[in-house]
């Protein structure tokens, strides 16, 4: 568990079937498609199949999606704030990529930064990865600020990486 700057206490947890409505909304948020790998709408059945087929074991699945959950609500019912992924796992070289989606109403509140910190603890401490990286579109100033504040280093410019323009590879070593 970790604490955000606005007194939210968050944790990361495995996907559950009850996460389907959130995933459906987030995966179909076309406003962020240019910054990620998704470029088309997903059906509820697509997402249901994904939830049912994922084991939660990054070595079996090659990726791991975790839900970012707020535990500080007054009614003791956790709130779902977003999700964070480890993907593009390279077990031999002990590295993986990070992807993240924070629901719009929780952006700018420290949720993303705290989720990255918790994911780093897991990836570096438990999985013994030695490098995490994120590819950030040059126009995405919020993500750039987040990874800079998390002590990631901009290591490689990626010219014309997407149709929308350039990106930068941000890395952090264990």
């Amino acid at each position: 568990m970790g604490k955000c700057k606005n007194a939210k206490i968050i944790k990361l947890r495995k996907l559950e079937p009850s996460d389907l409505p959130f995933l459906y909304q987030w995966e179909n948020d076309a406003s962020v498609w240019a910054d990620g790998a998704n470029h088309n709408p997903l059906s509820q059945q697509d997402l249901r199949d994904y939830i049912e087929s994922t084991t939660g074991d990054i070595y079996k699945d090659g990726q791991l999606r975790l839900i970012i959950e707020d535990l500080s609500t007054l009614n003791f019912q956790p709130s779902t704030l977003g999700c964070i992924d480890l993907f593009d796992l390279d077990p031999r070289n002990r590295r993986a990529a990070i992807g993240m989606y924070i629901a719009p109403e929780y952006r700018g509140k420290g949720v993303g930064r705290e989720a990255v910190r918790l994911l780093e603890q897991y990836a570096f401490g438990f999985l013994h990865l030695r490098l995490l990286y994120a590819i950030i579109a040059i126009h995405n100033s919020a993500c750039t600020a987040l990874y800079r504040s998390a002590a990631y280093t901009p290591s490689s410019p990626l010219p014309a990486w997407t149709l929308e323009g350039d990106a930068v590879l941000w890395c952090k070593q264990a």
Side-chain angles (χ1 to χ4, degrees):
M1 286 189 291
K3 192 170 184 178
C4 300
K5 67 181 180 186
N6 288 358
K8 290 189 182 310
I9 299 169
I10 69 167
K11 76 170 189 172
L12 305 180
R13 65 163 173 80
K14 184 179 172 181
L15 281 173
E16 297 175 0
S18 61
D19 296 319
L20 181 62
F22 300 109
L23 289 180
Y24 182 72
Q25 179 182 358
W26 299 338
E27 291 289 351
N28 290 299
D29 181 354
S31 71
V32 297
W33 287 354
D35 294 327
N38 192 22
H39 301 286
N40 58 286
L42 295 175
S43 71
Q44 286 192 16
Q45 188 61 50
D46 293 335
L47 294 166
R48 188 175 295 112
D49 292 346
Y50 171 71
I51 291 170
E52 290 173 2
S53 69
T54 188
T55 66
D57 182 334
I58 191 168
Y59 293 106
K60 287 181 184 175
D61 299 338
Q63 65 180 21
L64 176 65
R65 172 162 286 183
L66 298 168
I67 295 297
I68 304 166
E69 192 168 69
D70 177 7
L71 302 178
S72 61
T73 57
L74 294 176
N75 61 4
F76 302 104
Q77 293 295 329
S79 299
T80 303
L81 310 177
C83 59
I84 190 165
D85 303 333
L86 277 178
F87 66 99
D88 200 19
L89 174 68
D90 181 341
R92 181 182 181 276
N93 294 302
R94 297 185 2 226
R95 68 176 175 239
I98 299 176
M100 183 169 35
Y101 181 89
I102 303 298
E105 62 270 27
Y106 300 111
R107 293 177 189 164
K109 297 178 178 4
V111 173
R113 173 65 192 98
E114 188 59 22
V116 167
R117 188 188 70 75
L118 291 172
L119 188 69
E120 288 171 357
Q121 286 179 344
Y122 176 71
F124 292 145
F126 184 76
L127 297 176
H128 302 289
L129 298 181
R130 58 184 196 90
L131 179 79
L132 292 176
Y133 66 92
I135 296 174
I136 308 299
I138 201 84
H139 69 268
N140 192 334
S141 58
C143 278
T144 297
L146 183 150
Y147 283 98
R148 180 171 282 126
S149 76
Y152 282 67
T153 303
S155 64
S156 299
L158 302 169
W161 191 254
T162 68
L163 286 174
E164 290 77 17
D166 300 347
V168 175
L169 178 70
W170 289 78
C171 298
K172 186 172 189 177
Q173 292 183 345

